Amino acid sequence: MKTSIGTVRNASQMILLLTAGVLATATGEVQAQTYTSIDLTPNSPLSTANGISAGRAAGYSADTASFGAIHATFWEDSHKIDLHPAFLDDPVNAIKGRSSVQGSADTLQVGWGAGPGTNNRSVPLAWNGTAASATTLPLPFDSAGGQALATDGNQIVGYGTPLIKDGTAFGPPRAVVWDATTQEAIDLGDAGNGAQAIGVGGGLQVGYVIKGTANAALWSGSAKSLLALHPKDAAASVAYGTDGRLQVGYSGYDIRVRSEAPKGNKDKRFNFATVWSGTAASAFAIHPYPFTHSYAAAVNGPWIVGYAGDVSKNGTPAYYHAIVWDSTNYQPTDLNTFLPAAFVGSQALSVDAQGNVAGVALTADGQRHAVVWMLDPAQ
């Protein structure tokens, strides 16, 4: 359904006149929170911190700007530990694979790897702080591989790509949850057209199912438990994280805007960071003004993190601003303000129980540096 929300005179002066019950925008003064940012990879042109637990971040890094050269990485007290497993590589022919940590909790890291050792197909992996500890997580169906995307220390979630027919054709991706201790896998299904589980917490799994477009989804440990979180009137939605109490992600709306462009009225997609509390009807947008797009990536107790886009800088690294919200009153803090001057943009991707945030900061020439924002202990 398309929603008419007012006049757009230019990209920096958008007035969102939202239909009651469709969206609510966070307003009021920004809560005073202060952070110290730490560049974890000052000498790497390509790195990202995807997870953080007790101040220790994990993600990937590379010595070059090539995505094919990334290695799963764990940072402890800013010390970089290469988690890339040797079994992905072909040392005889000097061909190396690639790997990444996508989430972490306590001493556990989860993600994926691909290379000659996996026929260049990604497989879900789990680590316990060292490259030698890497194990391949089993999938509960014949597959061409998959990825682990998040963990809360008790469960791991991700997806697998099933093999069908003669064992060479691929089916739609299926959401999967693993027990973090036994690595037993449960198939959460594909809802007919494809699904991924992206976040986990408190015995709940979140992600999306495909129903024409991505629709935010919630599971509680089985395919039969699937619950739709897709808001009424939304064109698309995805849930990225949960702490067992709240679910966070985004909802996209196709909105008719009146434009002074030669062709007149147009529909535009606007994505808004969204919070749920277990039902589609509970969807609540926490979009921070004056940005035009926003996404909530993770939630942990008092904190929600994600990022927002400044349309006036669309297409540049400065487009992104890492955001942390208070999960009680949804007031946003722009984490870009705590970065050194060399960085022009950022994304917040994970938050730990102490309020420390992990993500990526971008330079004007497009380099990506893994970064953490450490919350001031007085907060």
Side-chain angles (χ1 to χ4, degrees):
M1 178 177 178
K2 299 179 179 66
T3 306
S4 179
I5 62 169
T7 301
V8 178
R9 295 192 180 275
N10 58 59
S12 64
Q13 295 179 336
M14 181 174 296
I15 303 174
L16 300 181
L17 304 176
L18 300 171
T19 303
V22 175
L23 293 174
T25 304
T27 59
E29 296 182 359
V30 174
Q31 186 174 6
Q33 292 182 326
T34 59
Y35 295 81
T36 299
S37 64
I38 301 172
D39 181 359
L40 297 175
T41 53
N43 300 315
S44 171
L46 179 62
S47 63
T48 297
N50 289 315
I52 190 167
S53 181
R56 298 172 296 182
Y60 65 80
S61 61
D63 293 331
T64 71
S66 170
F67 182 77
I70 65 171
H71 279 197
T73 305
F74 178 52
W75 291 274
E76 189 165 17
D77 297 327
S78 298
H79 175 62
K80 177 181 172 182
I81 301 171
D82 190 340
L83 296 183
H84 183 73
F87 62 73
L88 295 175
D89 302 335
D90 178 0
V92 174
N93 296 298
I95 302 175
K96 293 186 177 182
R98 56 200 180 278
S99 58
S100 173
V101 174
Q102 298 299 113
S104 61
D106 300 323
T107 61
L108 176 65
Q109 302 86 39
V110 302
W112 60 270
T118 64
N119 293 319
N120 287 315
R121 294 175 176 175
S122 64
V123 295
L125 299 176
W127 298 262
N128 287 106
T130 66
S133 68
T135 60
T136 301
L137 296 169
L139 287 163
F141 42 78
D142 291 335
S143 77
Q147 296 187 9
L149 299 176
T151 182
D152 65 350
N154 297 309
Q155 294 182 323
I156 302 166
V157 294
Y159 71 93
T161 302
L163 290 172
I164 58 176
K165 297 181 180 179
D166 60 357
T168 59
F170 296 172
R174 303 180 70 87
V176 178
V177 57
W178 292 267
D179 183 283
T181 301
T182 66
Q183 297 188 352
E184 179 184 0
I186 296 174
D187 182 2
L188 296 179
D190 64 6
N193 295 295
Q196 290 190 19
I198 304 174
V200 62
L204 300 178
Q205 306 84 39
V206 296
Y208 69 87
V209 298
I210 298 297
K211 293 186 178 296
T213 62
N215 281 212
L218 173 67
W219 296 268
S220 54
S222 70
K224 291 183 178 180
S225 69
L226 173 62
L227 178 66
L229 293 180
H230 186 67
K232 182 182 179 181
D233 299 331
S237 60
V238 174
Y240 288 119
T242 183
D243 61 357
R245 180 178 64 96
L246 299 176
Q247 299 80 45
V248 300
Y250 82 91
S251 302
Y253 295 84
D254 289 338
I255 297 171
R256 176 61 56 89
V257 296
R258 292 189 293 276
S259 173
E260 296 174 0
K263 293 186 179 181
N265 293 353
K266 295 181 179 180
D267 293 331
K268 292 186 178 181
R269 176 73 56 85
F270 295 93
N271 297 326
F272 299 99
T274 302
V275 177
W276 295 266
S277 54
T279 66
S282 68
F284 184 85
I286 56 171
H287 179 73
Y289 178 83
F291 302 104
T292 53
H293 299 277
S294 59
Y295 308 84
V299 57
N300 197 333
W303 299 281
I304 297 170
V305 298
Y307 50 97
D310 179 353
V311 73
S312 69
K313 298 177 180 178
N314 191 14
T316 75
Y319 176 81
Y320 297 108
H321 286 240
I323 304 291
V324 57
W325 291 266
D326 183 300
S327 69
T328 301
N329 57 30
Y330 303 125
Q331 297 307 308
T333 297
D334 186 343
L335 293 176
N336 267 22
T337 61
F338 302 100
L339 290 172
F343 295 109
V344 296
S346 61
Q347 294 173 288
L349 303 174
S350 181
V351 59
D352 66 16
Q354 292 75 41
N356 305 308
V357 180
V360 59
L362 301 97
T363 62
D365 62 358
Q367 290 190 23
R368 302 171 62 88
H369 288 219
V371 64
V372 294
W373 291 266
M374 305 300 289
L375 181 64
D376 186 325
Q379 301 295 308

